[in-house]
Amino acid sequence: MLLNKKPVSKKLKAQSLIEYALILAMVTVIAVTALQLLGQNMSNTLKKSAETVNTGADDVQEKACTSLGGTWTKGTEDTPGSCSLGE
């Protein structure tokens, strides 16, 4: 048994293609808008997280240094802290 398929006209194909293009454009506009609105908040959150991790790492290093009887010197934003162990 053969199935009768209706031939799809070029007009219907073009209409479907235009509909897909419009949907893609709409999704793109929504995505760009969402990224612009949320981008700054995400950036601030990531910066705060990085600062927290760095502060925690410095605290751990300081405690390890002092537990070994050393003297901890805090670093700056550009340079790490250092530990001087007495000899």
Side-chain angles (χ1 to χ4, degrees):
M1 180 174 152
L2 294 173
L3 297 174
N4 291 334
K5 291 186 176 180
K6 292 183 180 180
V8 179
S9 70
K10 288 183 181 181
K11 187 176 183 179
L12 287 176
K13 285 184 181 179
Q15 180 181 356
S16 295
L17 184 61
I18 290 171
E19 288 172 354
Y20 288 130
L22 288 172
I23 290 170
L24 181 62
M26 184 176 63
V27 168
T28 302
V29 167
I30 291 170
V32 167
T33 303
L35 286 174
Q36 285 178 343
L37 293 174
L38 298 176
Q40 190 61 40
N41 290 339
M42 289 172 49
S43 176
N44 291 339
T45 301
L46 289 174
K47 284 179 184 177
K48 287 178 185 177
S49 297
E51 289 172 2
T52 302
V53 169
N54 286 336
T55 302
D58 287 345
D59 290 345
V60 169
Q61 290 175 351
E62 180 180 3
K63 287 179 183 177
C65 179
T66 56
S67 70
L68 294 172
T71 304
W72 177 256
T73 305
K74 289 191 177 203
T76 64
E77 191 172 309
D78 298 328
T79 60
S82 63
C83 181
S84 301
L85 295 175
E87 292 187 31

